[in-house]
Amino acid sequence: MKLTLKETAKAVNALNDVSKYENIEITGAEFDSRKVKKGDLFIPLKGARDGHEFLEKARENGAVLSLWSKDVPTPDDFPVLIVEDVLSAFQVLAQYYLQKKKPTVIAITGSNGKTTTKDMTAFVLATTFKTYKTQGNYNNEIGMPYTILSMPEDTEKLVLEMGMDHAGDLHLLSTLATPDIAAITLIGESHLEFFGTREAIAKGKMEIADGLKENGLLIVPSDEPLLKSFLENISQEIATFGWDNSADEYVTVLAEKREETIFQFSFSEKIMEIAVPGKYNARNALVASMIARRLGVSMEDIAQALAAVELTRNRTEWVESSVGAKMLSDVYNANPTAMGLVLDSFSQMETTGKRRVVLGDMLELGEASKVLHESMSEHLDSYNIEKVYLFGKEMKVLFDKIVENFPKGAVVHFDKEDKQALIELLKNDLQKEDLLLLKASNGMGLFEVVEALK
């Protein structure tokens, strides 16, 4: 990134005179003072600590300029841009840089699958274009402007993951990024505690279209009736995806294996594969491919990229335990729709050993938590799953629901405080030929269980 102080000051509507510093050029932006590099603009955000307190550290690490809140005493010996609100100025600067560089912007959201779809989309587009994507889970009002200001100057396609915790979140992100293409992967139950109903979640997800360019494309699932009433108000082009010809484009799964899924798209005779399990991931690949085709990527390049795609860690990731058992780690987030999908796929995976599952609490489900945790019983049976390890207070209702349907001792429950006991039992139970699925919300810390078993 290269921005002069003068254009930066103009972009953020700086309140102070910075003429004496006009020769300064910034080559990056950073809000973590420990990560500041030479030439960076420091963004002192307010969190548990006020970022303004860390100016000296940022300066030591090479910052050449800082945004600065008008309510904080101004340093005498360091150039700052005084603004009404640092976070808003950060976002406005990102918007300015985006409009200056003009990459094609692809925005992706969904209750499940948005990170995987983002990764697949970026990987496929990178076969043909200079592509940059949201790193990790930097998908909120801080992470997205950070992503934009971190993209290389020659970026042609920018793939942005957009997260949502509350109503209005996606409106802000979409109107900031003004995407050319927007996609909704799934309407699930994530953050039901804050939204109350799935209908409200659907409405929140549709905010991704609020900033969609007039000639833009919105991609949505065909099998989600909650979206239909909102789509009536969309003037831009809409394309649907799904499992059958009721969708504009659909995917047919030909084989589900432990470490790959083989499928075919409606728009190509080519047999496709991805090195991750689960038919739901074939749907994610369909969305990525629809975006890529729209932008001119060949089917040959799409197929080769999907076969080699590298996904963000802890999202349907196979790892091996110390005794040789294969573990399917999907511990970054969880909602009932996502947990049901991965359980269904895992239950059919071939193995000469036993299938075991560790399920932790799904958080932020509000008053529906009991019913939704109990509903996982529909995806668990003793014929396909040898043993079920339930972890957390919310999972106690699932224990009570299924314990009589399994042999004695085949369903066990642990409180969150008993993580070490869970680890020890798993170490005792796991055999070399076994398959183990671990799925929970990130807040349950099941990644620690994965690491202990490795």
Side-chain angles (χ1 to χ4, degrees):
M1 182 179 75
K2 291 182 181 178
L3 292 174
T4 65
L5 181 144
K6 187 174 182 179
E7 67 177 320
T8 304
K10 183 177 180 181
V12 302
N13 195 27
L15 302 176
N16 58 320
D17 178 13
V18 292
S19 56
K20 67 177 179 178
Y21 297 118
E22 280 190 3
N23 292 330
I24 290 176
E25 182 177 80
I26 60 172
T27 55
E30 181 58 65
F31 57 83
D32 186 336
S33 61
R34 297 165 298 183
K35 297 179 180 179
V36 166
K37 304 179 299 297
K38 186 178 180 180
D40 276 358
L41 168 70
F42 179 49
I43 317 292
L45 299 174
K46 293 184 179 180
R49 297 275 300 275
D50 188 338
H52 293 83
E53 299 174 21
F54 300 98
L55 176 63
E56 193 57 39
K57 179 64 176 177
R59 185 177 185 175
E60 289 174 8
N61 287 339
V64 294
L65 179 68
S66 179
L67 294 182
W68 204 260
S69 173
K70 67 174 186 178
D71 299 325
V72 178
T74 306
D76 296 325
D77 57 347
F78 190 78
V80 299
L81 300 178
I82 299 174
V83 294
E84 293 283 348
D85 178 79
V86 171
L87 176 57
S88 295
F90 181 31
Q91 295 164 348
V92 167
L93 182 61
Q95 189 173 45
Y96 168 80
Y97 188 62
L98 196 60
Q99 292 169 351
K100 181 178 180 179
K101 294 303 173 184
K102 294 182 171 58
T104 302
V105 178
I106 299 97
I108 298 171
T109 194
S111 299
N112 191 60
K114 59 181 176 292
T115 300
T116 298
T117 305
K118 170 206 69 178
D119 289 340
M120 289 179 172
T121 301
F123 211 81
V124 172
L125 291 177
T127 64
T128 311
F129 305 103
K130 297 283 188 180
T131 304
Y132 191 69
K133 67 175 182 177
T134 300
Q135 304 298 301
N137 65 334
Y138 275 37
N139 61 12
N140 62 8
E141 74 280 5
I142 295 173
M144 201 187 76
Y146 182 78
T147 297
I148 293 169
L149 291 171
S150 298
M151 72 175 179
E153 282 208 306
D154 61 354
T155 299
E156 297 173 294
K157 310 297 178 189
L158 178 63
V159 185
L160 296 174
E161 177 181 330
M162 294 187 179
M164 178 184 83
D165 289 331
H166 301 86
D169 287 351
L170 285 182
H171 172 81
L172 170 67
L173 300 181
S174 180
T175 53
L176 192 160
T178 58
D180 298 270
I181 300 174
I184 300 173
T185 60
L186 181 77
I187 304 299
E189 303 84 2
S190 296
H191 313 302
L192 194 57
E193 179 180 2
F194 305 125
F195 285 87
T197 65
R198 286 187 73 249
E199 289 83 355
I201 292 173
K203 182 179 181 181
K205 294 297 184 189
M206 279 298 300
E207 290 177 1
I208 198 171
D210 289 357
L212 187 63
K213 292 184 175 70
E214 279 302 312
N215 62 345
L217 171 66
L218 177 64
I219 300 174
V220 297
S222 63
D223 53 1
E224 182 47 81
L226 293 176
L227 290 176
K228 289 183 179 179
S229 62
F230 300 112
L231 294 176
E232 294 172 358
N233 299 317
I234 299 297
S235 60
Q236 295 91 336
E237 182 183 351
I238 298 170
T240 61
F241 66 93
W243 296 118
D244 55 46
N245 60 11
S246 65
D248 295 325
E249 307 291 358
Y250 59 93
V251 59
T252 302
V253 175
L254 304 176
E256 288 186 78
K257 300 182 180 182
R258 191 171 72 190
E259 297 188 11
E260 67 176 344
T261 307
I262 301 170
F263 50 91
Q264 193 171 17
F265 297 139
S266 55
F267 47 77
S268 173
E269 295 181 355
K270 197 169 189 64
I271 303 301
M272 317 290 286
E273 63 180 66
I274 48 177
V276 288
K279 60 187 296 185
Y280 51 92
N281 279 317
R283 269 175 65 122
N284 296 333
L286 172 60
V287 175
S289 300
M290 290 171 68
I291 293 169
R293 285 180 74 236
R294 172 80 171 204
L295 297 175
V297 181
S298 70
M299 281 306 304
E300 187 66 32
D301 284 341
I302 290 172
Q304 289 181 5
L306 287 177
V309 70
E310 298 174 1
L311 302 180
T312 301
R313 287 193 64 209
N314 289 328
R315 288 162 170 86
T316 324
E317 176 190 24
W318 281 107
V319 293
E320 189 169 305
S321 80
S322 58
V323 297
K326 299 297 188 295
M327 304 187 297
L328 185 57
S329 171
D330 195 358
V331 299
Y332 186 77
N333 64 18
N335 61 64
T337 299
M339 186 173 283
L341 287 169
V342 73
L343 280 171
D344 291 344
S345 289
F346 181 79
S347 296
Q348 302 304 314
M349 290 180 187
E350 294 182 2
T351 178
T352 56
K354 299 173 180 178
R355 298 188 199 94
R356 307 172 185 273
V357 299
V358 179
L359 303 179
D361 288 353
M362 298 176 284
L363 305 178
E364 299 180 355
L365 295 181
E367 295 180 359
S369 181
K370 179 178 184 295
V371 172
L372 292 174
H373 278 84
E374 285 180 334
S375 72
M376 292 302 99
S377 63
E378 301 169 15
H379 306 276
L380 292 164
D381 67 76
S382 58
Y383 180 77
N384 291 313
I385 304 296
E386 182 76 19
K387 190 163 184 176
V388 181
Y389 308 77
L390 300 174
F391 180 60
K393 67 177 183 179
E394 301 296 330
M395 277 294 171
K396 182 60 167 61
V397 296
L398 181 57
F399 173 84
D400 295 337
K401 181 87 172 177
I402 67 173
V403 65
E404 298 300 327
N405 301 331
F406 281 75
K408 186 176 180 180
V411 183
V412 293
H413 177 262
F414 294 85
D415 291 327
K416 190 175 182 181
E417 297 76 23
D418 298 327
K419 187 180 295 179
Q420 191 57 43
L422 169 62
I423 291 170
E424 294 305 319
L425 182 58
L426 286 165
K427 284 183 176 180
N428 183 68
D429 287 353
L430 275 180
Q431 303 296 314
K432 183 177 181 180
E433 300 302 321
D434 290 351
L435 297 182
L436 177 67
L437 166 68
L438 301 99
K439 178 73 173 173
S441 289
N442 188 43
M444 297 304 294
L446 277 191
F447 65 91
E448 296 174 6
V449 177
V450 174
E451 290 302 313
L453 295 176
K454 286 165 63 178

